[in-house]
Amino acid sequence: MKIVFIGPPGAGKGTQCKMLSGKLKIPHISTGEMLRNLGGDSAQMVHSRIDRGHFAPDDFMLPLMKDRLSQPDCESGYLLDGFPRTMLQAEAFDASLSAADHQLEHVVHLEVDPEELIARLAFRQRTGERLDDSAEFIRERFQIYAERTAPLLSFYREQGLVRDINGTQSAEEVFAEVLAATS
């Protein structure tokens, strides 16, 4: 099973992917986590972007994800959290799936009220979980999501893949809806 999770910052994509990964026994691939743990020559360039709430460049992400998705643990499926994030990434991802005679089964869209998102991100900021949750970057992250990622929903709706989920409920209630929508 191959599932993409889409939602604004703080919608609960990571939480739901972790829960579903345990249930389905397939990997949760968080590009944000991959990028935050990145080392080597590219790390400084990528960290300077993502720490400000921006996306890593498409030409960096596409080969990174191609390599990750070719790993043996992805043979029976995966949950993508943070990829694709741009139309170019979505189109390239679709092309690579088609070339491998694979297909995406679902796109889980977590819908959350903006006020709830701000509260969630403020909580994460207080706990020091992530640099890109700082107050100065929250509004910019929402704008980047609206401009670059939200349009992917139309792309995937045309393919009949989008499953809209009310993400303002408790994590357990959201998970029950995710399970029902992807079964």
Side-chain angles (χ1 to χ4, degrees):
M1 182 156 307
K2 296 168 184 63
I3 302 174
V4 166
F5 280 74
I6 294 179
K13 298 177 298 292
T15 298
Q16 293 304 313
C17 282
K18 286 175 190 163
M19 294 170 74
L20 194 56
S21 174
K23 174 91 172 160
L24 299 178
K25 307 293 186 232
I26 58 176
H28 162 211
I29 300 171
S30 166
T31 57
E33 191 172 303
M34 287 171 61
L35 294 171
R36 284 187 289 276
N37 293 326
L38 192 64
D41 296 338
S42 303
Q44 185 175 2
M45 176 274 298
V46 170
H47 289 173
S48 71
R49 292 178 62 90
I50 66 171
D51 287 349
R52 294 188 334 258
H54 291 268
F55 296 158
D58 292 332
D59 62 347
F60 181 83
M61 286 306 303
L62 291 169
L64 182 72
M65 290 306 295
K66 183 177 182 180
D67 179 61
R68 177 61 185 97
L69 297 177
S70 71
Q71 300 300 313
D73 67 330
C74 292
E75 287 178 12
S76 59
Y78 43 79
L79 308 172
L80 296 179
D81 168 8
F83 182 86
R85 283 203 169 163
T86 66
M87 191 56 72
L88 186 130
Q89 289 176 9
E91 290 168 346
F93 180 51
D94 263 18
S96 69
L97 286 171
S98 293
D101 201 26
H102 293 162
Q103 66 182 29
L104 193 59
E105 278 86 7
H106 305 285
V107 173
V108 174
H109 173 222
L110 297 177
E111 299 177 290
V112 181
D113 177 73
E115 295 304 315
E116 173 70 17
L117 292 171
I118 291 168
R120 289 179 185 184
L121 292 173
F123 176 77
R124 278 195 334 200
Q125 181 193 3
R126 284 192 304 274
T127 62
E129 267 183 61
R130 291 178 37 184
L131 290 174
D132 59 341
D133 284 334
S134 68
E136 66 183 292
F137 298 131
I138 289 174
R139 279 187 175 50
E140 190 172 356
R141 289 179 67 203
F142 285 146
Q143 182 177 348
I144 291 168
Y145 171 80
E147 291 172 0
R148 299 191 64 200
T149 304
L152 299 182
L153 292 169
S154 295
F155 176 74
Y156 286 124
R157 279 190 205 288
E158 290 174 10
Q159 299 176 41
L161 296 173
V162 177
R163 313 296 178 248
D164 292 311
I165 305 292
N166 176 359
T168 59
Q169 308 170 84
S170 72
E172 294 75 21
E173 291 169 316
V174 172
F175 185 60
E177 277 196 39
V178 169
L179 282 177
T182 58
S183 296

